[in-house]
Amino acid sequence: MKRYEDPLALVDVTLFTIREGRLSLLLATRKNRDEPYFGALALPGGVIHTDEDENAQDAASRVVRTKLGFDPPYMEQLYTFSGRLRDPRRWSLSVAYYSLVPESVLEQTQVEGLEFVPADRIPDLPFDHNEIAAMAIRRLRSKSTYSSLLTFLLPSEFTIPELHAVYEQVTGSATNIAAFRKKVLDEDMIEATGERRKGGQHRAPDLYRRKGNGLQELKRTI
């Protein structure tokens, strides 16, 4: 009976944040000399550990935790990429995820070899990571218009102008802030904390937080 080589089973994570006012993608330097593209910037990823990972989501969470130094506040499966030529080692498949992380969380990591690049200026990456990143950006922009997804890019407390700025940056659309405020409040996706942002020369703006812990889908698009 003919025997077949097992495929290489991987996970890859496209991790987004807002850095210097721009939607940015985190890339990590490949540090294993025994693996392809040593020293290159790529999406954080790794092999699924069948002895400890219950599923692909657990593997992706482990990769972020061990390679980046934190647990991702939000992560969702994107797509499965597979093929004979995507990895020089052998036939492989990668379950890709996208994750959103506030910049304040990323500032706490002590991991070296990380680099942030604007989402509209991603360099040539190894494997099929450019294709994965492009799909993740499309998903992020689309889902941002009908869910509370973008609140995961902000700290636990934020102002409506800060949320509005993130929405415009991610979606690339200019929206009236008064209409935006009405929509997000009508959808009940955020709630007031009862506090105000301190500092500044003008009237301190009200602070809000995401309502609930998980993702909320909206009745109407923003």
Side-chain angles (χ1 to χ4, degrees):
M1 183 172 61
K2 186 174 181 179
R3 302 188 65 178
Y4 297 91
E5 185 179 38
D6 291 334
L8 187 62
L10 309 157
V11 290
D12 288 300
V13 182
T14 50
L15 193 149
F16 297 101
T17 191
I18 298 294
R19 191 171 179 85
E20 298 179 351
R22 302 180 69 179
L23 179 66
S24 299
L25 175 68
L26 183 145
L27 300 175
T29 303
R30 291 179 60 81
K31 299 178 180 179
N32 192 332
R33 293 180 179 272
D34 297 327
E35 294 182 352
Y37 305 108
F38 168 71
L41 287 172
L43 298 178
V47 176
I48 294 174
H49 294 176
T50 57
D51 60 337
E52 60 177 304
D53 300 325
E54 290 295 326
N55 49 48
Q57 179 99 15
D58 281 350
S61 296
R62 173 182 53 76
V63 164
V64 175
R65 185 170 55 254
T66 57
K67 292 193 174 184
L68 305 180
F70 57 86
D71 288 307
Y74 181 84
M75 188 165 61
E76 180 182 333
Q77 189 175 134
L78 175 67
Y79 192 73
T80 298
F81 294 80
S82 63
R84 186 185 305 278
L85 302 178
R86 65 175 305 275
D87 192 303
R89 287 170 285 190
R90 63 180 187 270
W91 204 104
S92 72
L93 64 87
S94 174
V95 184
Y97 290 80
Y98 70 102
S99 177
L100 279 66
V101 181
E103 185 178 15
S104 57
V105 172
L106 294 172
E107 288 174 345
Q108 299 172 17
T109 181
Q110 303 298 314
V111 177
E112 297 182 353
L114 303 181
E115 187 170 322
F116 297 89
V117 297
D120 58 354
R121 294 187 181 179
I122 299 173
D124 288 337
L125 302 176
F127 307 106
D128 50 4
H129 287 186
N130 285 93
E131 183 182 353
I132 296 174
M135 181 179 288
I137 292 168
R138 291 195 298 270
R139 176 76 61 84
L140 173 58
R141 286 175 173 162
S142 172
K143 201 159 188 173
S144 296
T145 64
Y146 63 86
S147 74
S148 59
L149 185 62
L150 292 183
T151 59
F152 291 93
L153 284 172
L154 292 162
S156 58
E157 296 183 350
F158 51 85
T159 67
I160 288 183
E162 289 168 345
L163 178 59
H164 178 252
V166 169
Y167 179 84
E168 289 195 328
Q169 168 59 211
V170 171
T171 64
S173 61
T175 58
N176 178 274
I177 190 169
F180 178 85
R181 175 189 296 270
K182 184 176 187 308
K183 285 184 178 180
V184 297
L185 292 177
D186 286 349
E187 288 287 347
D188 206 27
M189 61 181 270
I190 61 175
E191 60 185 4
T193 66
E195 303 293 331
R196 289 181 173 175
R197 171 83 76 225
K198 295 180 173 61
Q201 298 179 344
H202 305 288
R203 179 181 179 274
D206 294 325
L207 287 169
Y208 292 82
R209 59 183 166 234
R210 180 174 58 255
K211 196 164 187 179
N213 295 323
L215 182 73
Q216 178 183 340
E217 291 201 2
L218 310 181
K219 303 180 187 70
R220 299 178 299 166
T221 59
I222 298 176

